Amino acid sequence: MEQEERKDFEVSFIEMDENSKEFDYMKVIRAVESMPFNVGKNLLIDFLQGNLKNESVKRNSLNKKPLFGFLQLYSRKEVEEIVENLLSNNLLEYQQLPENRFIKVIAVTEKGKRELANPSHYKKKLSNRFIINETEITEEDKTLFQAFDFFLKPYNDEQKKAVISTKNKILCVAGAGSGKTTVLTKRIEFLTKFRSINPSKILAITFTRKARSEMIARLSKSPYCEGVRIETFNSFCEKILKEHNDLIYEKDVKVISYSQKVKLFNVALRENNINANDALSGYFSFAQRAGRTSEELLLMLMNDCCSILELYKSNNKNINTLLEEAKILDAKNSNNLRMVYRICKYMDLSMKKLGLRDYTDQLIHCINFFKQNPKLVPVFEHVLVDEYQDVNSAQIELIDLLNPANLFCVGDPRQSIFGWRGSQIKYILNFEEKHPDCEIITLSTNYRSSKQIVELINSAMESARLPELKHFNELSAEIKLIGFESEDDEVNFVVNKIKEMDISKNEIFVLARTNRIISELADRMKLNGIKHIVRTEEHHVDIEAAKDEVTLATVHSIKGLEADTVFVVGCNGLSFPCKTSEHPVMELTKIYDYDKEEEERRLFYVAISRAKNRLYLTYSGKPTRFVTDKMINLLKSENPKSKPLVKNIDVPLTRIQNFKSSEVNLMANLKEWRAQLAREYNLPAYIIMHDKTIMEIIENNPSTIEELRKVKGIGPAKLEKYGNDILRILNG
């Protein structure tokens, strides 16, 4: 039977490249499914590599299984990466054994089972191959460059070609720091000044208000560009909807504010008889609730609901279909999904009644209006799109409806980092397929970063199959990878290093993958009197630091910006790729496939490519696997300093012997609490809290936050995150 299974499996992959790692994933899923019992990660890797030295392999006759050793030609590190990729993309998952919840085993998810039945995830990935050579500069190009030397003199040949190309459809693939905004605005100036294009017939679209403001500021210097439309996708749609409000709506409709959204969410809870405390305890895990107030958790739940609603609307999918997915979830999360559906449904209907629209509605309503009234679609001869790698299906549909004679798109596949909110990298990867007669121009010279940093970011994205970036800046850079015993030590290093620096504070970025780390950094900087601003994807994206302020930011919120010195904090396997898994409800509602692992790698690339001259990658635990061997060599050349990691801290037996039975019980309760957090965060227990700190807590027996603050080993970050939980345990 197993032989037949193997034969059928292999036949189904005749058309696929069996030697490609992209398809090895299918066999790994099949291998996990075929195991006679639950296996852990190490045993799975030994099985895949054909390791007969593993006693469990021989004892259980796993070596007789059809797929035993099929990855024997790969290194252990490579096999581990394949497994981790599958875990990141929710095709495999960790499960706790019922008989021993401290042991994690690997199992196939429902998504993984669907993938086995109908392979699509990596098939889509393989269809999005973007292999491109460096831009060809012809003799004709050089002649034109010479003719417009007075206009193009400061720019390199690639930039010149992008500015003056006469092709109707152009994709400009612009690497980090290669001057894409300069090229886009210079092209607009060229069109108006030398090709006599009416400025009102030119539309430039970007994503953020900041990018829009920057374009407007640059073009305002040219009298030829007065009248050019510079918009974000949302500002463009909003103007169309306001102009034609009477044709679209029965009453005035306005954009919903954040406060209105919060109010609607609270009403949705009340009208659906959803108890807030019950909702939070059911929806969020213990670790997610730790250190957060009820208000913070409610806002997180609201953001999840709004994200789901907007994803469904932007992909033209009815929210009612959400309930159809409940059957493949466990009972608890099935109830969570039904709750989310009720909230989403109520908020959607209420917005329509109250005459409110969100950002997704702006796009969808504008698209529908254009479809119904094609004669009212504004006519543009030239449409230029910035950050094209971030477009979603609705934005593509809008561009198609505008149907410009000339389309110029600028983007970088290496910086596609918003798949989680609806963007689809396939649109930039398949641009040539959609526009066969297009011209693809690469901007490959990085003007931002020093030589060593450019070499580092090239190594980080070797898999992208794009031309390597060339460096312009020959100055030496300081790049270091620094390991620490704990996250507290890591944060202390960053704070102390910033204090030592004699550069303007607004030339310093401190970046992290998660809001949690940013929050801890902000608290520590307050205590040390370091002025700073905080940028996250949800809040304060448009604020800029004053000269004496450090910028703390999530990586998602910092794209497009640069600084002399960049700290990337939390460069471990828990943040890159982020192991803070999405809620099962959120994961389920992904209505298109995207490769989370690769997107996380691109996110890491965005983080390190912000730096001009100094780059510090810090971590506690193990460094992220995104730091490749080649990158480590580059980092070692700068003599990075690593502190040895403390694996375990043994508490002297004499201290425990003096404990009362009640104190022994408290210690057991605190360790159980710590173990639960460690499992949730996928962290070693000592990083949550040392044994010595637990002993200090028991011996000091604090009863208030102020008393707990005095306990040795309890810093501000731990006090904020765990203080209330510890006191609850101490109080029984």
Side-chain angles (χ1 to χ4, degrees), residues 383-430:
V383 171
L384 301 93
V385 185
D386 192 19
E387 303 288 3
Y388 191 72
Q389 77 281 343
D390 291 331
V391 292
N392 61 28
S393 58
Q395 290 158 347
I396 285 292
E397 190 172 7
L398 178 66
I399 295 168
D400 289 344
L401 286 167
L402 292 173
N403 192 27
N406 300 275
L407 179 65
F408 181 89
C409 300
V410 183
D412 184 5
R414 289 162 292 204
Q415 299 188 65
S416 177
I417 59 174
F418 293 108
W420 56 275
R421 71 178 188 191
S423 299
Q424 298 187 53
I425 193 174
K426 69 178 183 181
Y427 293 118
I428 189 169
L429 297 179
N430 298 335

Side-chain angles (χ1 to χ4, degrees), residues 168-400:
N168 298 117
K169 302 291 190 292
I170 301 169
L171 174 64
C172 187
V173 181
S178 62
K180 66 178 178 65
T181 304
T182 297
V183 164
L184 193 147
T185 52
K186 200 69 178 176
R187 180 171 176 83
I188 293 173
E189 188 180 355
F190 179 81
L191 292 172
T192 55
K193 189 173 183 178
F194 299 108
R195 291 184 57 187
S196 301
I197 304 298
N198 186 336
S200 66
K201 297 298 180 182
I202 299 175
L203 170 67
I205 306 180
T206 188
F207 279 83
T208 65
R209 289 186 294 235
K210 185 178 186 306
R212 178 178 180 243
S213 298
E214 186 178 345
M215 279 194 228
I216 291 172
R218 293 194 188 195
L219 291 174
S220 65
K221 297 174 183 178
S222 171
Y224 297 93
C225 297
E226 188 176 347
V228 173
R229 290 279 300 272
I230 311 291
E231 304 284 0
T232 65
F233 278 101
N234 290 103
S235 70
F236 175 79
C237 292
E238 183 65 17
K239 288 174 182 177
I240 295 293
L241 295 176
K242 282 183 176 179
E243 183 182 351
H244 301 286
N245 187 92
D246 293 343
L247 295 175
I248 304 170
Y249 307 108
E250 294 179 355
K251 55 184 175 182
D252 285 342
V253 177
K254 299 178 180 178
V255 179
I256 188 170
S257 68
Y258 189 78
S259 61
Q260 287 173 318
K261 195 178 288 186
V262 172
K263 185 178 178 179
L264 269 186
F265 171 75
N266 287 322
V267 174
L269 293 178
R270 186 175 66 248
E271 292 299 313
N272 284 281
N273 296 316
I274 299 171
N275 180 277
N277 290 328
D278 292 344
L280 297 181
S281 61
Y283 190 83
F284 294 107
S285 68
F286 181 83
Q288 289 172 319
R289 296 196 304 273
R292 290 189 172 100
T293 65
S294 295
E295 289 76 14
E296 289 173 326
L297 291 170
L298 280 170
L299 289 178
M300 288 170 62
L301 176 57
M302 182 194 76
N303 288 333
D304 277 7
C305 292
C306 291
S307 294
I308 289 170
L309 182 58
E310 288 180 21
L311 272 173
Y312 268 69
K313 286 193 293 190
S314 65
N315 286 274
N316 200 29
K317 192 169 181 178
N318 195 314
I319 191 68
N320 291 330
T321 62
L322 188 60
L323 288 181
E324 296 173 9
E325 312 291 352
K327 58 189 177 186
I328 67 173
L329 288 173
D330 58 59
K332 177 184 176 182
N333 286 313
S334 178
N335 289 333
N336 281 326
L337 184 141
R338 290 186 175 90
M339 175 188 72
V340 167
Y341 164 76
R342 283 153 52 202
I343 294 170
C344 288
K345 188 72 174 177
Y346 184 89
M347 291 184 70
D348 191 37
L349 291 173
S350 296
M351 284 171 62
K352 291 174 182 175
K353 288 179 183 177
L354 296 170
L356 298 170
R357 54 177 174 251
D358 58 26
Y359 292 137
T360 302
D361 288 329
Q362 284 177 319
L363 274 164
I364 302 302
H365 295 179
C366 184
I367 288 167
N368 291 336
F369 173 71
F370 284 167
K371 285 179 177 177
Q372 295 165 12
N373 302 275
K375 292 182 179 180
L376 295 178
V377 177
V379 178
F380 296 99
E381 289 183 43
H382 290 262
V383 171
L384 301 93
V385 185
D386 192 19
E387 303 288 3
Y388 191 72
Q389 77 281 343
D390 291 331
V391 292
N392 61 28
S393 58
Q395 290 158 347
I396 285 292
E397 190 172 7
L398 178 66
I399 295 168
D400 289 344

Side-chain angles (χ1 to χ4, degrees), residues 482-497 510-512 516-517 520-521 524 567-572 575 616-621 643 687:
I482 311 174
F484 296 92
E485 177 183 321
S486 68
E487 198 174 271
D488 277 348
D489 291 339
E490 188 179 357
V491 172
N492 282 333
F493 164 79
V494 174
V495 170
N496 292 330
K497 193 72 177 176
V510 185
L511 309 180
R516 178 187 66 81
I517 299 177
E520 291 179 9
L521 284 160
R524 198 66 58 90
F567 296 85
V568 186
V569 182
C571 294
N572 53 41
S575 294
Y616 301 98
L617 308 179
T618 68
Y619 68 94
S620 55
K643 283 182 74 174
I687 288 184

